[in-house]
Amino acid sequence: MPELSVRGRKLAYAVEPGSFDKSLLTILFVHGSGGDRGDWQGQLKGLSSLVNVVAFELPGHGKSEPPGESTVPAYLQWVLDFVEQVGLQRVMLIGCSLGSAITQAIALSSPTWLVAIGLVGAGARLRVHPAFLDGLRENPGKALAMLSDYCLSPKTGDPLRSELEAKYAAADPELIYGDLSACNEFDVMDRIREVSQPTWIIVGEDDKLTPPKYSDFLNKTIRDSAFVRVPNAGHLVMMEQPSEFNNHLNTFLRTKGLLVSK
Ligand code: COA
């Protein structure tokens, strides 16, 4: 598991096929609240023959050094610093949930290295139900169990369901509180039409945390977008339906000519 010291902080990431071919597109995945590189296991395995695939771990998550942050601007600065330090030049940034907020905010600042974005279980505003935020203060165990349940389609069973329950049961409630606070403050509803990069939007039809109508709005508002709704999947569509996710992404990459070496 490689790591990099960014502003004196050890940040971890997973990379396939093991090193960067800078002539190829790099897909940089950014997880959501309480997530880590494991959220993108199916993508690290399934897409690495075509592009460089990197799953970045935000501070405090996975093997990246704590603490976490509690705002999107603070989180996105770590992603910007990581890309600059590694020297990536052609990047498609794909974020889920909190990661989608980071991705939208970075897209709105139009860095030269960003050639496309992907929004997974996303929204231009991500208000969080008080049952999660207050619950994390009052009864963290119950709130974390509810969150893991809400992440998945009711049709998604074991082993993923049990794995996610165990992961959230072991999570630091403070870290998740910071992540959800960052989501709750995030709102680019008035600016999202300024996104100019080709944008791939994907949502699970059973997503309860970011209902598909949020993705509909993104698709209608962003100029150059492609949109897929995936049946039998909830908020973590990349984990619940990894093959479908990868096939749709592959189609997007080909349609947009992003697989060509530069
Ligand atoms: N894109 C498009 N429309 C959105 C939107 C988005 N990102 N976010 C909210 N809206 C819409 C809502 O659908 C609603 O429209 P309606 O009046 O036609 O139904 C309107 O804007 C107001 O919604 P909201 O700002 O969310 O306020 P609210 O007081 O109605 O609801 C919550 C607040 C927290 C109950 C609600 O946002 C919710 O249930 N969220 C999902 C659960 C959650 O906690 N998700 C975590 C995300 S990380």
Side-chain angles (χ1 to χ4, degrees):
M1 179 80 179
E3 52 182 39
L4 199 71
S5 178
V6 177
R7 282 185 265 142
R9 188 90 68 93
K10 280 196 187 107
L11 298 183
Y13 59 98
V15 60
E16 292 286 344
S19 62
F20 297 98
D21 176 347
K22 288 196 178 151
S23 70
L24 293 179
L25 178 74
T26 296
I27 298 188
L28 179 57
F29 287 106
V30 184
H31 58 76
S33 302
D36 57 32
R37 68 194 174 285
D39 297 9
W40 307 105
Q41 217 174 335
Q43 287 65 49
L44 284 161
K45 281 191 199 143
L47 297 164
S48 58
S49 60
L50 305 169
V51 289
N52 304 308
V53 195
V54 183
F56 177 69
E57 294 188 322
L58 293 167
H61 297 73
K63 299 244 182 302
S64 284
E65 205 178 325
E69 304 283 3
S70 56
T71 68
V72 169
Y75 269 133
L76 77 79
Q77 197 55 50
W78 293 106
V79 178
L80 293 178
D81 290 351
F82 174 80
V83 171
E84 190 175 317
Q85 207 158 315
V86 177
L88 300 176
Q89 279 150 24
R90 285 179 71 229
V91 178
M92 178 176 185
L93 196 56
I94 300 185
C96 176
S97 202
L98 169 61
S100 85
I102 294 168
T103 300
Q104 291 168 71
I106 290 178
L108 285 167
S109 73
S110 295
T112 51
W113 46 262
L114 188 64
V115 297
I117 62 169
L119 303 176
V120 185
R125 179 165 65 205
L126 292 173
R127 290 281 179 273
V128 176
H129 201 287
F132 294 122
L133 283 170
D134 297 345
L136 281 165
R137 289 283 184 247
E138 289 154 15
N139 187 342
K142 190 174 163 200
L144 290 168
M146 187 167 69
L147 194 58
S148 84
D149 181 48
Y150 267 64
C151 278
L152 300 176
S153 161
K155 293 161 208 145
T156 299
D158 285 337
L160 184 54
R161 183 164 290 276
S162 309
E163 284 165 13
L164 200 69
E165 277 167 14
K167 181 169 154 181
Y168 274 102
D172 172 7
E174 270 309 309
L175 179 76
I176 309 289
Y177 189 87
D179 287 358
L180 293 184
S181 302
C183 291
N184 198 39
E185 292 297 311
F186 176 73
D187 186 348
V188 293
M189 296 287 278
D190 293 340
R191 290 196 60 209
I192 195 68
R193 64 177 46 78
E194 295 164 30
V195 168
S196 57
Q197 298 84 358
T199 300
W200 181 65
I201 302 163
I202 184 164
V203 69
E205 277 186 354
D206 304 330
D207 191 332
K208 284 187 283 202
L209 289 175
T210 51
K213 68 177 175 181
Y214 292 9
S215 289
D216 270 330
F217 175 81
L218 291 168
N219 184 44
K220 282 182 190 137
T221 312
I222 296 174
R223 222 172 308 150
D224 183 0
S225 66
F227 179 33
V228 234
R229 292 168 73 121
V230 179
N232 304 319
H235 194 51
L236 300 180
V237 53
M238 68 287 194
M239 301 175 84
E240 296 175 87
Q241 298 294 342
S243 300
E244 255 205 87
F245 183 101
N246 293 352
N247 289 341
H248 285 299
L249 178 53
N250 205 326
T251 304
F252 176 82
L253 296 172
R254 285 180 198 288
T255 308
K256 295 292 172 191
L258 289 167
L259 293 178
V260 181
S261 300
K262 288 276 158 73

